[in-house]
Amino acid sequence: MMGYNRTCRLADFAMLAADFCEVYPHEVAVHPDYPTGQEYRKSWEITQIVRGLRDFGALHSHARLLGVGAGHEWTIYYLTTRVEQVFATDLYLAPNFWDEFAPAEFMSNPEKYAPAGAAWNPQRLVVQHADGRALPYPDGFFDGVFSASSIEHFGTLDEITQAAREMGRVLKPGGVLALATEFKLGGPAGDGWGNVVVFDPETLHRHIIEPSGCEMVDTADYDTDDTTLATKQGLDWVVTTAHAGKVIPAPHIVLEHLGYIFTSASVVGVKS
């Protein structure tokens, strides 16, 4: 079985094909060979998050889940078909660079942002403005907490540590933390640029895993391979392509910016 604490690799899409099809049935309807030809690291992140929540007991009919920095991503919608309540939180009411991903309108009209043809249950969705560094929920309130490609934008390493501590605080004992973030495969010695932190094994453990109070469910595997590295795309080019309304070609797994070579890593832990 493929692990839960690991970096994204091109081969993962074939290995987890059944999981991808389970999480993205609306994509299968359009692409019968899905995920072949649709190898995007964001869908890998979400599939890994769902695997972690599912396989360690957080997806059941009475479960309450929290998305931190959740924007209007597909995870929110999918999980409403699996649990009693999904709380989606982000800085929806704070206009900033991330308006495209966490628009205020999502709070009142989540239907607008649901993928066409996708099944979900609006009665199970709660959308709230909340800062991931100071979550407005009591201790032990959630069965699972999830976050995909968000925590690296929460500020300094100290602020990220605080966000991880908050995620752990609101989890019940036995609750599952499943998140994904940026992971450095090569490049300079720093931790990233601007509003992006790129983690290595040491910073990931010190600033996310340890402060969360969760025990990883398996041994971390942060290796990569030449086939995966060959998918490298320039971040500036990817952003320009997306803003032009064009499709980013797959496989979209490894990025390069300012000398940093990075991909996604998933973290799955259980609160003791």
Side-chain angles (χ1 to χ4, degrees), residues 1-39:
M1 176 183 291
M2 202 184 83
Y4 301 88
N5 290 276
R6 62 182 281 117
T7 49
C8 181
R9 279 155 255 186
L10 181 58
D12 295 354
F13 292 83
M15 292 175 63
L16 294 178
D19 294 288
F20 276 94
C21 291
E22 176 186 333
V23 176
Y24 287 92
H26 55 288
E27 291 286 358
V28 177
V30 178
H31 306 285
D33 293 331
Y34 187 79
T36 302
Q38 303 294 317
E39 297 93 349

Side-chain angles (χ1 to χ4, degrees), residues 2 20 29 60 77 154 175 209 250:
M2 202 184 83
F20 276 94
H60 54 80
Y77 298 97
F154 282 14
I209 296 169

Side-chain angles (χ1 to χ4, degrees), residues 122-222:
Q123 295 181 342
R124 296 178 180 175
L125 177 61
V126 179
V127 183
Q128 295 182 318
H129 173 89
D131 189 329
R133 297 165 296 186
L135 294 170
Y137 307 106
D139 297 356
F141 194 65
F142 294 99
D143 298 277
V145 174
F146 63 92
S147 183
S149 290
S150 293
I151 198 168
E152 65 271 13
H153 304 297
F154 282 14
T156 66
L157 286 171
D158 285 344
E159 289 174 301
I160 288 170
T161 299
Q162 175 60 20
R165 188 176 293 117
E166 281 289 274
M167 292 181 191
R169 178 185 65 79
V170 300
L171 270 175
K172 297 176 180 178
V176 180
L177 172 65
L179 62 81
T181 189
E182 308 290 17
F183 187 89
K184 182 167 63 175
L185 300 173
D191 297 317
W193 64 91
N195 66 344
V196 180
V197 170
V198 181
F199 295 92
D200 60 24
E202 191 276 331
T203 54
L204 191 63
H205 185 84
R206 179 188 296 181
H207 297 286
I208 295 182
I209 296 169
E210 186 176 335
S212 77
C214 296
E215 294 291 330
M216 291 197 297
V217 299
D218 59 3
T219 301
D221 177 5
Y222 299 135

